[in-house]
Amino acid sequence: MAPDRDASRCGRPECRVREFESTACPPHHDRRENQMAERGDESLVDTLKKVAAVLKQSEIPFALGGSFAVYAHGGHSSEHDVDFLIREADVERSLEALVAAGFVAERPPEDWLVKVFDNGRMVDLIHRPIETPVTEETFADTVIRPVDAIHMPVLSATQLMVHKLLSFSQHYCDFARGLPLARSLREQIDWERVRKETQHSPYAEAFLVLLDRLEVVPATGTQPGEGTS
């Protein structure tokens, strides 16, 4: 059964939170490799900023992830999404604050995230990426970056690469989506840490072999330039 789209027209906050009853989520990926400032997608950037502002005002810890985090570091991504990482303990409070601010919330069948919509523009609020809970340690591994003149915590380039590699599986293994990130942020990535944290994944190992053959990965022992933008 499709979700009740009429729920979004009700003025009561409790009626503006919908639940998916289907296993399919709305498509939210486009293949774009332009810089955030060059994409012309100002409405999506505005939505990102609105979510960040609400979370800040509500004093809810968060970190920007996904393709916009890559752009914030000055890199490229082949994906097109807005992802924020929050703690599971803050999920309900985040939804309440965002619904009160005019967003429509949805709870998909996946138990590792919730979603909010701003006039059809989707934002993922992820509390368990790659089957690992978001913790204070996650937030410690961030860098403050400006996103369209708004400063916010952004997942480090290293953590973004780890998340990308550990997302590869027998059901999803599109290396083309990881190459732009690796190429454009390679000098900011701690590759030794990436190897260590992904060593249990044969898909990550294969991707790292590909990067080595393409001469993308710097020599072993090279320190990342995390301070570059």
Side-chain angles (χ1 to χ4, degrees):
M1 181 186 299
D4 182 8
R5 296 297 175 184
D6 291 334
S8 63
R9 301 191 183 100
C10 177
R12 294 179 298 167
E14 63 270 23
C15 290
R16 295 169 64 184
V17 179
R18 305 192 300 263
E19 299 233 4
F20 272 108
E21 296 182 7
S22 166
T23 57
C25 291
H28 63 287
H29 292 297
D30 287 335
R31 289 182 176 275
R32 299 185 183 181
E33 297 189 35
N34 297 325
Q35 287 282 53
M36 180 171 60
E38 299 171 349
R39 286 160 27 131
D41 199 350
E42 296 180 359
S43 60
L44 193 55
V45 176
D46 287 342
T47 293
L48 183 160
K49 290 161 61 178
K50 286 166 63 177
V51 172
V54 170
L55 295 178
K56 279 185 176 182
Q57 291 165 6
S58 302
E59 298 184 345
I60 298 172
F62 71 91
L64 179 65
S67 60
F68 279 92
V70 177
Y71 299 131
H73 286 301
H76 296 267
S77 174
S78 61
E79 298 175 315
H80 182 227
D81 51 20
V82 180
D83 295 340
F84 284 94
L85 272 66
I86 60 174
R87 296 176 303 192
E88 185 171 9
D90 293 325
V91 167
E92 295 305 323
R93 195 156 61 100
S94 300
L95 289 182
E96 289 175 4
L98 288 163
V99 166
F103 288 82
V104 175
E106 288 188 346
R107 300 175 187 272
E110 296 87 353
D111 62 357
W112 48 273
L113 85 168
V114 292
K115 300 171 181 287
V116 294
F117 289 81
D118 175 33
N119 293 322
R121 295 181 290 273
M122 187 174 71
V123 176
D124 288 341
L125 302 175
I126 302 169
H127 58 81
R128 198 174 72 246
I130 58 173
E131 296 302 320
T132 304
V134 174
T135 64
E136 291 300 324
E137 187 174 298
T138 306
F139 297 136
D141 191 11
T142 60
V143 181
I144 301 298
R145 297 287 194 208
V147 178
D148 198 30
I150 301 250
H151 286 73
M152 64 185 71
V154 178
L155 288 184
S156 71
T158 299
Q159 191 169 186
L160 288 169
M161 193 74 253
V162 169
H163 284 190
K164 176 55 65 178
L165 293 190
L166 293 183
S167 74
F168 294 147
S169 69
Q170 61 180 335
H171 304 294
Y172 167 81
C173 195
D174 186 354
F175 285 177
R177 292 188 178 276
L179 279 171
L181 189 164
R183 287 182 184 277
S184 58
L185 296 184
R186 59 184 175 182
E187 293 182 355
Q188 298 183 54
I189 295 172
D190 182 342
W191 290 103
E192 287 306 306
R193 178 184 154 194
V194 169
R195 291 186 182 93
K196 180 178 179 180
E197 295 187 12
T198 65
Q199 60 185 345
H200 61 284
S201 168
Y203 305 98
E205 181 181 9
F207 185 80
L208 290 170
V209 169
L210 175 63
L211 293 185
D212 178 63
R213 292 291 299 274
L214 295 176
E215 299 184 346
V216 172
V217 179
T220 302
T222 301
Q223 296 298 315
E226 290 283 4
T228 62
S229 59

